[in-house]
């Protein structure tokens, strides 16, 4: 099965139809390779805006796309999707992170009323795959495309990025540098109902410590130096949507602030812990 790496550029436009802003796609860029990552073909086109008539200055500066270029060379979103469907042709579709595929789903729903994309059969989050292959996966901090390239040792020009086709090519270089065929296919998923439920699930930060989903037995810290459980000195309080409290190691007597983030995700609760030693907030018992 072939692999297509897709990248999109979009412009935030207010829609009177739905009474909120829509990330309106203005450019498709993609590269297609075979299952051994041998190059097959490229895809690039501009999409003529139908919601917003003017690019924001930030997007224009970032992408170097002009309004004149969009309206002179762009095609409709529906035609762009038809052309991309012919290009992708039952390939696995990859995007760097889920923002692009979610934006494609939003645009598809806006124009057709259907959130399920007919040409999306199999999907892979290339960002997640590269994070795991490089051993840097962190649910609290995602790896950007340029940072991934730098980590691998791929040189890229900032001025040439933020165009769909260029970003797709850089994504391919990152894939090639981390590629293991067996490992890669473990990150490819069928775009079925379960996939749509998972990718559209809105993570929720839990800020009520008495929420029955919160297992209070997990709200503790182990001293980094002594590797024993620290004593809790203060009650947990909520700060910036996290639970924070003061702790002290009973052996080395180090005092630190423990910060715990509890998020409800599609697959269940995620608990992230961090010890802040240098600048503990002032908390009362």
């Amino acid at each position: 099965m072939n692999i297509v790496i897709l990248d999109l550029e979009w412009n935030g436009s207010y829609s009177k139809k739905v009474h909120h802003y829509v990330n309106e796609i203005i450019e498709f860029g993609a590269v297609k390779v075979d299952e051994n990552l041998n190059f097959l073909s490229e895809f690039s086109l501009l999409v003529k805006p139908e919601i917003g008539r003017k690019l924001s200055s930030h997007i224009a500066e970032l992408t170097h796309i002009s309004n004149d270029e969009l309206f002179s060379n762009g095609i409709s979103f529906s035609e762009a999707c038809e052309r991309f469907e012919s290009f992708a042709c039952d390939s696995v579709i990859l995007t760097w992170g889920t923002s692009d595929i979610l934006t494609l789903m939003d645009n598809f729903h806006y124009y057709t009323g259907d959130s399920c994309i007919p040409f999306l059969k199999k999907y892979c989050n290339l960002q997640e795959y590269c994070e795991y292959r490089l051993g840097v996966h962190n649910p609290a901090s995602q790896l950007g495309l340029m940072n991934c390239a730098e980590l691998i040792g791929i040189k890229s020009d900032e001025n040439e990025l933020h165009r769909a086709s260029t970003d797709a090519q850089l994504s391919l270089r990152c894939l090639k540098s981390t590629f293991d065929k067996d490992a890669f296919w473990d990150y490819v998923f069928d775009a079925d109902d379960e996939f749509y439920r998972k990718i559209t699930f809105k993570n929720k930060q839990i800020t009520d410590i008495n929420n029955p989903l919160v297992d209070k037995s997990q709200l503790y810290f182990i001293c980094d130096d002594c590797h024993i459980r620290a004593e809790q000195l203060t009650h947990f309080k909520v700060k910036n949507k996290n639970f924070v409290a003061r702790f002290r190691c009973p052996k080395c007597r180090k005092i630190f602030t423990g910060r715990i983030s509890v998020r409800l995700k599609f697959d269940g609760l995620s608990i992230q812990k961090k010890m802040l030693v240098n600048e503990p907030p002032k908390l009362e018992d």
Side-chain angles (χ1 to χ4, degrees):
M1 178 175 282
N2 294 331
I3 296 168
V4 168
I5 301 177
L6 170 67
D7 190 89
L8 303 170
E9 302 297 336
W10 61 78
N11 181 56
S13 303
Y14 185 79
S15 168
K16 295 181 179 178
K17 173 183 174 182
V18 294
H19 305 293
H20 61 71
Y21 278 88
V22 176
N23 288 325
E24 185 175 17
I25 295 172
I26 58 172
E27 186 179 34
F28 278 71
V31 58
K32 179 161 62 174
V33 295
D34 66 18
E35 60 183 13
N36 295 312
L37 306 190
N38 297 307
F39 175 82
L40 296 176
S41 56
E42 290 183 86
F43 182 88
S44 180
L45 55 78
L46 294 174
V47 181
K48 185 182 298 184
E50 296 181 33
I51 303 173
R53 305 296 294 178
K54 185 177 180 180
L55 287 179
S56 73
S57 58
H58 171 69
I59 296 299
E61 182 179 354
L62 191 68
T63 63
H64 304 293
I65 299 174
S66 68
N67 278 299
D68 289 343
E69 188 178 5
L70 277 181
F71 286 98
S72 297
N73 303 325
I75 61 176
S76 69
F77 175 77
S78 59
E79 184 178 352
C81 285
E82 289 176 4
R83 292 191 187 183
F84 181 73
E85 181 174 9
S86 297
F87 171 81
C89 193
D90 294 329
S91 301
V92 178
I93 295 178
L94 283 62
T95 60
W96 189 268
T98 58
S99 295
D100 280 356
I101 202 68
L102 287 170
T103 298
L104 182 59
M105 289 165 57
D106 286 344
N107 279 242
F108 200 82
H109 180 264
Y110 183 89
Y111 287 108
T112 69
D114 190 353
S115 296
C116 296
I117 303 170
F119 51 82
L120 181 62
K121 306 297 184 183
K122 291 183 178 293
Y123 174 76
C124 172
N125 179 348
L126 179 55
Q127 179 188 59
E128 185 177 54
Y129 167 78
C130 287
E131 287 176 344
Y132 276 108
R133 290 289 296 158
L134 294 171
V136 296
H137 179 69
N138 180 359
S141 177
Q142 294 182 327
L143 182 66
L145 177 57
M146 274 203 67
N147 290 335
C148 180
E150 291 175 3
L151 190 62
I152 294 171
I154 298 173
K155 293 183 179 180
S156 58
D157 187 345
E158 172 71 25
N159 294 323
E160 294 179 357
L161 296 178
H162 309 300
R163 287 301 298 261
S165 58
T166 306
D167 287 356
Q169 286 285 356
L170 182 57
S171 297
L172 174 59
R173 294 177 67 188
C174 290
L175 174 60
K176 285 183 174 181
S177 296
T178 59
F179 190 63
D180 178 278
K181 184 179 287 188
D182 293 334
F184 171 76
W185 289 102
D186 287 340
Y187 289 85
V188 174
F189 300 96
D190 292 331
D192 53 15
D193 291 343
E194 178 80 356
F195 163 80
Y196 279 100
R197 285 194 296 270
K198 182 175 182 178
I199 201 169
T200 57
F201 185 84
K202 302 295 183 183
N203 293 340
K204 180 182 178 182
Q205 192 89 12
I206 294 180
T207 57
D208 179 7
I209 202 166
N210 294 314
N211 188 308
L213 293 174
V214 177
D215 182 358
K216 293 184 181 180
S217 68
Q218 299 298 312
L219 305 185
Y220 65 89
F221 282 85
I222 302 296
C223 176
D224 287 342
D225 299 321
C226 304
H227 307 292
I228 60 176
R229 184 163 175 163
E231 301 170 338
Q232 186 173 335
L233 301 178
T234 65
H235 296 298
F236 276 106
K237 290 191 176 182
V238 176
K239 184 174 182 180
N240 297 327
K241 296 185 178 181
N242 298 306
F243 300 125
V244 292
R246 294 289 295 281
F247 290 82
R248 178 177 58 206
C249 175
K251 183 176 180 180
C252 68
R253 311 303 289 176
K254 176 177 67 178
I255 295 177
F256 61 90
T257 296
R259 185 178 72 190
I260 300 179
S261 171
V262 181
R263 295 170 67 88
L264 178 61
K265 298 185 175 183
F266 180 82
D267 297 324
L269 281 186
S270 169
I271 299 178
Q272 301 293 322
K273 301 180 181 181
K274 187 170 185 179
M275 296 169 59
L276 307 173
V277 179
N278 296 326
E279 299 180 0
K282 296 179 179 180
L283 299 173
E284 298 177 358
D285 291 336

